[in-house]
């Protein structure tokens, strides 16, 4: 069976498109893309799409004007619509020219898809490209999904990117092109060993093919198996992720660690990877960072910790909650008063970090309010609100005391929130209340002391 017959069968079984559907074919005038174009043009009518050629003149080679003229003549003689763009030399960067060219190229492809109302972009990546990509990623290291290498079909700009030649070798493509007298142009830079891909292509892959001529088929099969396995795993993990994570705020996701720890650690790792990669799209999460996040989850002896990721993402543990946020979480103090101020009796105060509160001489009748009575004499006044200071303590029953820092720890107040906690103190610096958290016990007071009511209304 020749390449055309195998290609026909492959396209028919894959069922990527229907006859007449518009497909944009990325053509460079190299042997791979010119062969793909030929194969598409010679598909049986019942599966042949409407072809639109997308061509970019990168102006990187002296012969680019010759190649541009050739593809224009080719498309005109075969009545194929041609969309083309020029990447001018003044737009070329001094470094990273390959990645910059790719960005320009794929941006243009997206424009063509939209302009011509096409749903499919076809590129001529083949089996040898897959082998090279897998070996490059294996050498560099990374997460398991990257070893899929090149997906045969995937989403692209709301459309579908398809690589129909992924199951065929470079040698098969060249031999077929020669047999059909397909004209193509060689890119001399493909021979330069200064590029990693070229070194793998010319030095490593030939040795592996000598070891096993079926190398391409095996790598292709492994890639499909791995892709299917990762897709199945994501499907199984998704309900667990939905169960343990709160997505009410797309910029701040909270994970219930008590629920997450009900599953084996290996499952928890997959849940976190799915959350970071596919739900939040956090870029460049390395295996070391993922391991650090799992360690942060496991470290119950240290219930508060932070880890910064790329692009302003941050992972923060606050007791049994893991918070993943786009920007560092800030708990702003929006107060009508400064951090330290005198409390005027019979007046309401509102602090962002605390409930609405006031100290009154008479009972306040407000729904959901909580009132504590303190017996104070003139020397205790005026009352003040200030930040927590070292040595601050609240009074407990039976004359015992507890440090305010311990009160905040027991109440699971995070380190960031603690910065904005305020205490209500007497003029003698005795702590009456850690506002919104815990009050000192009520004592009768000395002779002549009067009752004052601290009323707090929780924030909604």
């Amino acid at each position: 069976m020749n390449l055309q017959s195998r290609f026909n069968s492959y396209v028919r079984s894959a069922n990527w498109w229907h006859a007449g559907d518009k497909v944009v074919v990325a053509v460079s005038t190299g042997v791979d893309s010119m062969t793909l174009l030929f194969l598409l043009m010679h598909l049986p009518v019942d599966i042949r799409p409407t072809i639109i050629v997308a061509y970019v003149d990168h102006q990187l080679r002296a012969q680019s004007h010759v190649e541009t003229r050739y593809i224009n003549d080719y498309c005109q003689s075969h009545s194929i619509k041609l969309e083309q763009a020029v990447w001018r030399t003044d737009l070329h960067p001094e470094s990273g020219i390959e990645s910059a060219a790719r960005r320009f190229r794929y941006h243009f492809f997206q424009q063509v898809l939209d302009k011509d109302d096409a749903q499919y972009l076809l590129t001529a990546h083949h089996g040898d490209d897959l082998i090279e990509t897998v070996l490059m990623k294996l050498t560099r290291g990374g997460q398991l999904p990257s070893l899929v290498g090149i997906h045969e079909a995937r989403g692209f700009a709301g459309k579908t990117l398809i690589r129909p030649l992924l199951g065929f070798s470079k040698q098969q493509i060249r031999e077929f092109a020669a047999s059909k007298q397909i004209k193509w142009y060689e890119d001399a830079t493909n021979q330069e060993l200064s590029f990693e891909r070229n070194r793998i292509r010319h030095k490593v892959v030939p040795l592996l093919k000598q070891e096993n001529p079926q190398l391409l088929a095996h790598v292709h099969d492994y890639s499909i198996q791995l892709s299917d396995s990762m897709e199945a795993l994501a499907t199984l993990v998704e309900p667990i992720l939905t169960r343990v994570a709160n997505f009410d705020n797309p910029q701040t996701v909270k994970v219930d660690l008590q629920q997450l720890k009900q599953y084996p650690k290996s499952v928890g790792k997959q849940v976190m990877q799915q959350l970071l990669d596919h739900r939040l799209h956090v870029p460049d999460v390395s295996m070391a960072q993922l391991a650090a996040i799992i360690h942060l989850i496991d470290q119950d002896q240290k219930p508060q910790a932070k880890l910064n990721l790329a692009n302003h993402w941050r992972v923060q543990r606050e007791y049994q909650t893991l918070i993943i946020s786009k920007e560092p979480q800030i708990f702003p103090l929006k107060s009508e008063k400064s951090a330290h101020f005198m409390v005027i009796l019979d007046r309401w105060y509102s602090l962002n970090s605390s409930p609405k509160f006031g100290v009154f001489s008479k009972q306040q009748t407000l729904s959901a309010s909580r009132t504590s009575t303190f017996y104070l004499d003139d020397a205790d006044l005026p009352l003040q609100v200030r930040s927590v200071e070292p040595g601050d303590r609240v009074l407990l029953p039976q004359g015992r005391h507890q440090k305010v820092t311990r009160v905040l720890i027991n109440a699971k107040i995070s380190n960031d929130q603690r910065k904005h906690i305020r205490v209500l103190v007497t003029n003698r610096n005795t702590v009456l209340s850690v506002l919104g958290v815990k009050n000192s016990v009520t004592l009768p007071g000395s002779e002549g002391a009067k009752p004052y009511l601290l009323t707090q209304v929780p924030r909604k």
Side-chain angles (χ1 to χ4, degrees):
M1 184 183 295
N2 66 23
L3 188 65
Q4 183 71 63
S5 299
R6 291 177 57 198
F7 182 79
N8 296 351
S9 299
Y10 204 58
V11 170
R12 193 182 298 279
S13 62
N15 196 30
W16 286 309
W17 59 76
H18 298 103
D21 286 349
K22 293 179 181 178
V23 300
V24 174
V25 186
V27 175
S28 66
T29 72
V31 63
D32 306 327
S33 60
M34 291 306 299
T35 300
L36 173 60
L37 183 56
F38 181 95
L39 291 168
L40 292 166
M41 291 165 54
H42 291 82
L43 282 170
V45 175
D46 64 316
I47 54 173
R48 188 185 305 161
T50 299
I51 298 169
I52 301 166
V53 168
Y55 169 79
V56 176
D57 178 0
H58 294 90
Q59 295 197 339
L60 292 170
R61 302 191 302 275
Q63 68 180 22
S64 66
H65 66 283
V66 176
E67 297 172 16
T68 300
R69 187 165 59 248
Y70 168 67
I71 195 62
N72 273 270
D73 292 342
Y74 186 96
C75 290
Q76 185 176 2
S77 63
H78 291 89
S79 300
I80 298 173
K81 184 173 183 179
L82 172 64
E83 300 280 8
Q84 53 188 326
V86 177
W87 192 38
R88 302 193 318 270
T89 54
D90 60 309
L91 299 177
H92 296 182
E94 293 183 3
S95 61
I97 197 162
E98 280 190 298
S99 59
R102 186 183 188 280
R103 285 194 299 271
F104 180 90
R105 189 164 59 245
Y106 277 84
H107 179 68
F108 171 64
F109 295 158
Q110 181 180 342
Q111 291 178 321
V112 175
L113 287 166
D114 293 338
K115 175 186 174 183
D116 290 283
D117 194 26
Q119 292 298 315
Y120 308 99
L121 171 65
L122 276 56
T123 66
H125 292 92
H126 48 74
D128 288 72
D129 290 324
L130 173 62
I131 295 173
E132 293 159 13
T133 301
V134 169
L135 289 175
M136 288 169 64
K137 292 186 176 181
L138 189 63
T139 303
R140 295 172 184 172
Q143 296 189 16
L144 186 61
S146 69
L147 288 180
V148 172
I150 304 175
H151 291 272
E152 199 164 49
R154 67 171 179 84
F156 172 74
K159 317 284 185 172
T160 303
L161 170 59
I162 302 171
R163 297 165 172 122
L165 297 181
L166 214 55
F168 303 94
S169 70
K170 180 78 169 187
Q171 182 179 349
Q172 290 172 325
I173 292 170
R174 275 186 170 275
E175 290 176 352
F176 179 80
S179 70
K180 297 297 181 180
Q181 297 183 327
I182 299 172
K183 184 178 179 180
W184 73 84
Y185 288 84
E186 291 285 356
D187 183 352
T189 61
N190 289 335
Q191 303 300 318
E192 295 178 7
L193 297 182
S194 57
F195 298 110
E196 179 188 14
R197 181 177 290 275
N198 288 350
R199 292 194 298 273
I200 290 176
R201 175 179 300 163
H202 299 299
K203 297 292 187 180
V204 179
V205 173
L207 292 175
L208 294 177
K209 286 183 176 180
Q210 287 179 20
E211 291 294 326
N212 189 342
Q214 298 301 312
L215 174 67
L216 187 152
H218 293 329
V219 173
H220 189 229
D221 287 344
Y222 277 131
S223 182
I224 292 173
Q225 290 180 53
L226 183 56
S227 180
D228 289 345
S229 297
M230 298 307 300
E231 183 178 345
L233 181 60
T235 302
L236 295 172
V237 164
E238 185 63 26
I240 301 175
L241 176 58
T242 303
R243 192 175 305 123
V244 304
N246 184 320
F247 293 95
D248 290 345
N249 183 342
Q251 295 290 309
T252 304
V253 174
K254 296 183 178 181
V255 179
D256 186 330
L257 296 185
Q258 288 182 323
Q259 287 199 53
L260 182 64
K261 290 179 181 179
Q262 293 176 7
Y263 300 94
K265 184 182 292 187
S266 59
V267 175
K269 185 181 292 186
Q270 293 299 324
V271 169
M272 293 309 303
Q273 192 164 349
Q274 176 124 334
L275 172 59
L276 295 168
D277 290 347
H278 303 295
R279 281 296 197 100
L280 300 179
H281 306 289
V282 180
D284 303 323
V285 180
S286 67
M287 288 301 296
Q289 287 176 319
L290 183 60
I293 294 171
I294 299 303
H295 179 72
L296 187 146
I297 292 171
D298 292 339
Q299 279 287 89
D300 287 334
Q301 299 88 346
K302 190 176 181 182
Q304 295 193 77
K306 299 176 186 177
L307 177 66
N308 291 322
L309 303 177
N311 202 25
H312 305 294
W313 283 95
R314 185 177 78 172
V315 180
Q316 177 176 351
R317 176 170 178 170
E318 293 182 1
Y319 299 97
Q320 291 305 313
T321 301
L322 193 74
I323 302 171
I324 304 175
S325 53
K326 174 65 172 176
E327 296 289 347
Q329 271 199 296
I330 299 173
F331 298 89
L333 177 63
K334 295 180 180 177
S335 170
E336 62 181 33
K337 293 291 180 181
S338 64
H340 192 159
F341 60 91
M342 184 179 70
V343 174
I344 299 173
L345 299 177
D346 298 315
R347 176 176 173 179
W348 287 105
Y349 292 89
S350 180
L351 297 175
N352 190 56
S353 56
S354 309
K356 179 180 177 182
F357 76 96
V359 180
F360 300 92
S361 54
K362 295 182 181 179
Q363 182 71 43
Q364 302 296 304
T365 55
L366 287 177
S367 61
S369 64
R370 182 165 57 92
T371 299
S372 297
T373 303
F374 295 102
Y375 293 86
L376 308 173
D377 56 31
D378 291 343
D380 291 317
L381 302 176
L383 303 181
Q384 298 179 65
V385 166
R386 61 167 172 77
S387 302
V388 178
E389 296 178 355
D392 281 346
R393 299 169 181 268
V394 294
L395 181 63
L396 302 178
Q398 300 176 347
R400 296 180 295 112
H401 290 82
Q402 185 177 54
K403 288 184 177 180
V404 170
T405 51
R406 173 49 58 183
V407 170
L408 298 178
I409 291 171
N410 292 346
K412 295 183 170 27
I413 305 297
S414 72
N415 290 331
D416 281 341
Q417 290 172 307
R418 290 178 201 177
K419 299 174 186 175
H420 307 293
I421 292 295
R422 300 291 177 262
V423 290
L424 175 68
V425 299
T426 69
N427 194 42
R428 298 171 177 175
N429 214 25
T430 300
V431 176
L432 299 178
S433 174
V434 183
L435 292 168
V437 182
K438 188 181 183 70
N439 295 334
S440 290
V441 297
T442 301
L443 294 178
S446 60
E447 186 178 351
K450 299 177 183 178
Y452 294 89
L453 300 113
L454 170 62
T455 302
Q456 301 181 72
V457 181
R459 287 186 169 275
K460 296 181 180 179

